[in-house]
Amino acid sequence: MGKTLLFHAKSVVTMDRNMPRASHVAVRDGRILAVGGPDCATPWGGADSHIDVSDSVLMPGFVEGHAHLMAGAMWDYTYCGYHDRIDPQGQMHRGMTQIDEVIARLKEFEATLPPDQPLVGWGFDPIFLTSERLSRHHLDQVSTQRPIVIIFSNFHLLCGNTAALDLAGYNAQTNVEGVVKGADGQPTGELQEMATMFPVMRRTGIDFRALTQTDAALQSYAEVCKRAGVTTVTDLFATLGDDDITRLTEATGKKSFPVRLVPALGAIGGTPAEVAAQALAMRERATDKLRLGAVKLMTDGSIQGWTARVRAPGYIGGHPNGLWNTAPDQIFQLCEELQRQGLQMHIHVNGDEAAAVTLDALEAAARKHPWPGARHVLQHCQMMDAALFRRAAELGVACNIFANHIWYFGDQHAALTIGPDRARSMNAVRDCLDMGVITAIHSDAPVTPMGPLFTAWCAVNRRTMSGQTLGPAQCITVEEALYAITLGAAQTLKMDTEIGSIETGKRADFVLLGEDPLSVTPEDLKDVPVLGTVLGGEVHQL
């Protein structure tokens, strides 16, 4: 039996209705022994050691239910985005608001590269720029010899220069869905969705899997999590071999590693039966800090890239409907097999058509292979309405909503993608909760920065970059938002018996905050400082 540690905080916000507030938490062997006042450890023989965090407010460690391990390693490339971003080491990278600024930064970066190395940028999104759309002609200004690839912030589109397109053989004769062409019949350089992007990515050495397979990338991801107050995090489209799992097991097993990692196997590159077999084999290798066995399905694309699948009346401005990354018949086949094998699914659905098709597939699978408590999760859910959330509740399907989009893209969605009326009901956390759905909210890092308190602020205030409140009827309370980044997210990972609240018997995973998020104004929620985290009783200060 290990020593008993007694944490003394300014206040403890437990997320447990039976004891919402406390001042002390006793911890033994990495789990919560007791919660209450200074004498809460007395029935257990008292405390062996006192940990004074009385300058901090203690909460359950935040749970990021939709992020990607490459959030740390993407900084190996050059940042080209519109918004200011902070890297894992805390350095600020200023956003750029004009194509000329992007080209200038790329030229500066290009001058530092060896002659035979492709130039890769990331985080760009043309929807924010008022000038013409980024094309290969812009990138040819940087180099006509060196392949250049700019990955858009949504990771569903990219733009390449002529040299990069030539590597994949994309030209005027190419007849491939997702190769965008101009009025002259030539490719513009923009490529949409993975099937079309992959030939260029492979030839320029862009490998999202490789960005997650080094110790440096894993440590960088852990640093991102710690700065955000996250103690349990997903990698929600993982490609893992036996050696990769061995490496992750060793890395996460170290006492110094500050986060529990939950990779979900990407359902790609095999039959449904093969995907299921791999996930089942992975599940057998799970540990306390490395949870394996869930599967991620990718259905449609990105709303701001006009590749999400949306129902009538479609996109404003005459844009055609989006693309299927997984065709509907394949979605049905995957859902049936994974349901039959008892594997939890996390399913990407941005557009409402994608959500409707996926719910149809899950319902069909459940009729053939009943599984009470499957708790599959729809991810993003950006255009789901009350009727779709009601269907999700009836099927026992959870929803993890991309609340950050309201601030980052809300103005653009109203003006350019789906119009102001539907934008007001995007990322409808209020409807989701009211329909009785298990609800979480997320950042999708590195698409937007990881920061659960900012994500909570977005769901509470629904403020856009221009300062308007987009759909006030969908605002939720601070208490509900905090639940969504703790217990709600833990429920989507089927880990709510272990994490998400400060209760006796659960794991001693906490976040240390500089202010009480329930005492500040809702407008100031995003500014509550994170001071550090605790994982299994081990303190990890910033």
Side-chain angles (χ1 to χ4, degrees):
M1 185 172 64
K3 293 183 177 180
T4 298
L5 311 177
L6 186 63
F7 286 81
H8 173 208
K10 182 190 303 182
S11 181
V12 180
V13 180
T14 67
M15 306 306 294
D16 173 17
R17 68 173 61 183
N18 297 299
M19 184 181 287
R21 291 280 182 169
S23 59
H24 292 70
V25 182
V27 173
R28 181 187 292 168
D29 296 328
R31 291 186 179 269
I32 297 167
L33 186 67
V35 184
D39 60 349
C40 67
T42 301
W44 302 94
D48 299 299
S49 178
H50 291 75
I51 299 178
D52 185 3
V53 289
S54 56
D55 59 341
S56 305
V57 173
L58 204 68
M59 272 195 68
F62 298 140
V63 181
E64 176 51 89
H66 191 137
H68 301 274
L69 207 156
M70 61 185 178
M74 287 306 299
W75 294 97
D76 293 347
Y77 300 141
T78 186
Y79 178 63
C80 300
Y82 179 86
H83 302 94
D84 295 345
R85 295 283 290 257
I86 298 174
D87 68 21
Q89 285 70 48
Q91 179 181 346
M92 172 68 75
H93 297 254
R94 294 295 177 187
M96 293 163 287
T97 61
Q98 300 295 330
I99 285 182
D100 289 348
E101 294 178 76
V102 175
I103 298 305
R105 179 170 292 183
L106 291 173
K107 285 181 177 179
E108 181 181 337
F109 189 65
E110 196 266 346
T112 69
L113 296 178
D116 59 347
Q117 182 175 331
L119 190 163
V120 180
W122 73 283
F124 180 80
D125 201 311
I127 203 167
F128 294 111
L129 306 186
T130 56
S131 60
E132 60 182 331
R133 201 166 175 89
L134 183 71
S135 73
R136 62 185 173 93
H137 301 298
H138 295 110
L139 299 180
D140 285 348
Q141 296 174 31
V142 181
S143 177
T144 58
Q145 303 300 316
R146 184 193 305 275
I148 300 173
V149 176
I150 307 302
I151 302 166
F152 288 14
S153 66
N154 54 48
F155 289 85
H156 287 264
L157 296 89
L158 64 76
C159 188
N161 69 345
T162 300
L165 297 182
D166 288 345
L167 289 176
Y170 288 152
N171 53 43
Q173 285 69 51
T174 301
N175 185 22
V176 175
E177 186 179 39
V179 176
V180 178
K181 294 184 178 181
D184 60 358
Q186 296 286 341
T188 66
E190 184 171 314
L191 307 178
Q192 300 178 341
E193 298 304 332
M194 282 297 162
T196 306
M197 294 160 56
F198 181 71
V200 168
M201 292 171 59
R202 181 169 64 84
R203 289 168 174 82
T204 53
I206 302 170
D207 184 350
F208 291 156
R209 176 178 179 271
L211 290 174
T212 69
Q213 300 305 310
T214 66
D215 290 340
L218 190 59
Q219 194 57 49
S220 180
Y221 194 46
E223 190 64 31
V224 169
C225 293
K226 186 170 69 173
R227 287 182 178 276
V230 170
T231 54
T232 297
V233 69
T234 50
D235 179 21
L236 216 61
F237 199 84
T239 305
L240 298 173
D242 288 344
D243 291 345
D244 301 322
I245 295 174
T246 298
R247 181 185 57 80
L248 288 176
T249 302
E250 292 175 353
T252 58
K254 295 176 181 177
K255 184 178 291 189
S256 61
F257 194 77
V259 67
R260 302 186 196 280
L261 181 62
V262 187
L265 176 67
I268 190 170
T271 66
E274 289 168 341
V275 171
Q278 184 180 0
L280 288 169
M282 289 171 58
R283 188 164 68 185
E284 295 301 313
R285 301 181 64 180
T287 68
D288 286 347
K289 291 173 68 175
L290 180 65
R291 300 305 176 90
L292 300 164
V295 179
K296 169 72 177 295
L297 280 63
M298 183 74 70
T299 64
D300 65 341
S302 157
I303 300 171
Q304 70 270 27
W306 291 280
T307 59
R309 294 291 304 193
V310 301
R311 297 190 295 197
Y315 291 107
I316 63 174
H319 288 278
N321 205 348
L323 307 177
W324 290 107
N325 280 297
T326 304
D329 61 332
Q330 294 174 302
I331 295 171
F332 272 76
Q333 292 166 17
L334 281 163
C335 286
E336 180 177 344
E337 181 63 17
L338 296 172
Q339 171 90 4
R340 187 179 74 85
Q341 296 278 12
L343 290 161
Q344 188 196 28
M345 291 174 264
H346 294 264
I347 309 176
H348 164 116
V349 292
N350 266 320
D352 47 1
E353 182 187 5
V357 168
T358 299
L359 287 169
D360 287 344
L362 290 173
E363 182 175 1
R367 287 180 182 277
K368 292 181 179 179
H369 309 288
W371 177 15
R375 210 183 300 177
H376 304 305
V377 187
L378 300 187
Q379 296 284 348
H380 300 325
C381 315
Q382 293 206 71
M383 293 182 67
M384 287 179 66
D385 58 16
L388 288 171
F389 285 126
R390 187 177 295 109
R391 281 198 69 196
E394 291 168 352
L395 293 169
V397 172
C399 291
N400 192 350
I401 300 174
F402 200 172
N404 282 22
H405 244 258
I406 296 298
W407 191 83
Y408 278 97
F409 296 100
D411 293 321
Q412 284 66 38
H413 287 316
L416 301 171
T417 65
I418 59 172
D421 53 343
R422 284 182 294 170
R424 281 192 291 271
S425 60
M426 286 187 76
N427 299 293
V429 185
R430 175 79 277 145
D431 280 347
C432 188
L433 288 168
D434 287 352
M435 293 302 110
V437 179
I438 291 173
T439 306
I441 51 180
H442 68 268
S443 69
D444 196 15
V447 175
T448 68
M450 188 186 300
L453 286 172
F454 178 83
T455 301
W457 175 87
C458 289
V460 169
N461 296 283
R462 293 185 65 89
R463 198 74 47 78
T464 70
M465 286 196 300
S466 68
Q468 69 167 309
T469 299
L470 188 63
Q474 293 299 332
C475 292
I476 63 173
T477 68
V478 171
E479 291 86 350
E480 289 169 329
L482 294 177
Y483 193 95
I485 61 174
T486 55
L487 263 173
Q491 289 168 356
T492 69
L493 302 179
K494 293 190 169 185
M495 293 180 67
D496 48 304
T497 60
E498 301 177 71
I499 61 172
S501 61
I502 298 177
E503 299 181 64
T504 298
K506 287 194 172 185
R507 298 187 181 275
D509 296 356
F510 315 133
V511 59
L512 306 172
L513 302 176
E515 295 181 85
D516 187 337
L518 289 168
S519 297
V520 301
T521 66
E523 291 77 14
D524 292 330
L525 181 59
K526 62 182 175 59
D527 300 317
V528 171
V530 173
L531 305 179
T533 59
V534 178
L535 192 82
E538 294 288 331
V539 179
H540 300 275
Q541 299 278 46
L542 293 184

